[in-house]
């Protein structure tokens, strides 16, 4: 019943038909894994519903033998909701990335365990005079005099320990 719902055809319309002729949309040659000696094939694909719409699925195919007949056990899981959630997340991330990049203030994100930079916006690059590619993975000691780096590191650790924002007074920094 689940396969009938995903594909939009009854089992009587499907039995004896090749999947590529019945519902496979973007999985031509998927059954060739048997010739390669593989035991299981799992992939995200689309199947074509009888109404013409493409349905995103996780497909798992396993070769089986029943009464001397070599068959393929094919399972499909409709991941439409997951696919929609992924698209919404991508749109949200793109929006957030745009906001972060156009902020006129330096914004950066550090890894909590080693205080290395994992994200820098354009304003930060311009202020420091260093491309973000050179900043990522580095820490304050790679760019600032020891006294400044000690201060920034101490404030970062204080922020992590308290679990809230720590007031940092206006500060002059040495840039490139």
């Amino acid at each position: 019943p689940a396969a009938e719902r995903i594909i939009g055809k009854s089992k009587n319309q499907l039995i004896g038909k090749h999947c590529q002729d019945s519902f496979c949309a973007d999985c031509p040659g998927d059954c060739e894994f048997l010739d390669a000696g593989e035991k299981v094939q799992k992939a995200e694909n689309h199947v074509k519903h009888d109404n013409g719409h493409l349905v995103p699925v996780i497909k798992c195919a396993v070769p089986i033998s029943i009464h001397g007949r070599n068959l393929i056990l094919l399972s499909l899981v409709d991941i439409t909701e997951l696919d929609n959630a992924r698209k919404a997340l991508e749109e949200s991330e793109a929006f957030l990335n745009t906001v972060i990049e156009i902020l006129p203030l330096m914004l950066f994100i550090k890894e909590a365990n080693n205080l290395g930079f994992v994200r820098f916006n354009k304003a930060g690059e311009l202020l420091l005079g260093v491309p973000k590619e050179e900043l990522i993975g580095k820490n304050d000691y790679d760019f600032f005099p020891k006294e400044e780096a000690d201060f920034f590191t101490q404030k970062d650790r204080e922020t992590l320990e308290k679990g809230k924002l720590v007031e940092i007074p206006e500060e002059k920094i040495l840039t490139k």
Side-chain angles (χ1 to χ4, degrees):
E4 290 176 340
R5 182 180 41 77
I6 292 171
I7 298 167
K9 294 182 180 181
S10 71
K11 66 180 177 181
N12 292 335
Q13 291 173 292
L14 295 169
I15 291 176
K17 301 281 191 318
H18 194 284
C19 63
Q20 291 174 332
D21 300 328
S22 302
F23 59 86
C24 280
D26 57 2
C27 49
D30 276 353
C31 298
E32 293 171 3
F33 74 101
L34 291 173
D35 297 331
E38 295 180 38
K39 299 294 181 208
V40 177
Q41 187 214 36
K42 182 178 174 186
E44 284 190 29
N45 292 107
H46 291 86
V47 294
K48 188 170 38 180
H49 191 277
D50 198 41
N51 64 13
H53 288 99
L54 295 179
V55 180
V57 296
I58 292 177
K59 180 189 72 183
C60 186
V62 180
I64 60 172
S65 180
I66 299 177
H67 303 297
R69 290 181 65 198
N70 292 327
L71 305 169
I72 297 173
L73 175 63
L74 181 66
S75 65
L76 304 172
V77 177
D78 183 343
I79 58 169
T80 300
E81 288 184 30
L82 176 62
D83 207 41
N84 290 340
R86 283 180 186 161
K87 288 175 186 168
L89 180 60
E90 288 171 5
E91 289 172 7
S92 179
E93 285 178 351
F95 174 75
L96 181 59
N97 287 335
T98 300
V99 170
I100 288 171
E101 284 303 312
I102 64 172
L103 281 174
L105 307 168
M106 180 169 75
L107 185 127
F108 57 86
I109 300 171
K110 291 181 177 179
E111 186 72 46
N113 62 351
N114 66 5
L115 300 179
F117 295 107
V118 294
R119 178 79 191 258
F120 240 94
N121 71 347
K122 192 69 173 169
E125 283 183 281
L126 295 173
L127 178 67
L128 296 178
V130 180
K132 71 175 81 176
E133 295 77 23
E134 292 180 28
L135 295 163
I136 304 304
K138 306 275 177 61
N139 63 39
D140 292 319
Y141 292 97
D142 295 314
F143 302 102
F144 302 109
K146 184 179 180 332
E147 298 77 32
E148 282 183 28
D150 285 344
F151 175 78
F152 296 142
T153 299
Q154 184 260 330
K155 289 298 183 183
D156 289 341
R157 296 212 186 286
E158 186 179 334
T159 299
L160 290 168
E161 288 170 14
K162 291 183 176 181
K164 62 180 183 176
L165 292 176
V166 172
E167 183 71 29
I168 298 176
E170 189 172 306
E171 185 83 21
K172 289 184 180 181
I173 60 171
L174 182 63
T175 66
K176 196 170 187 176

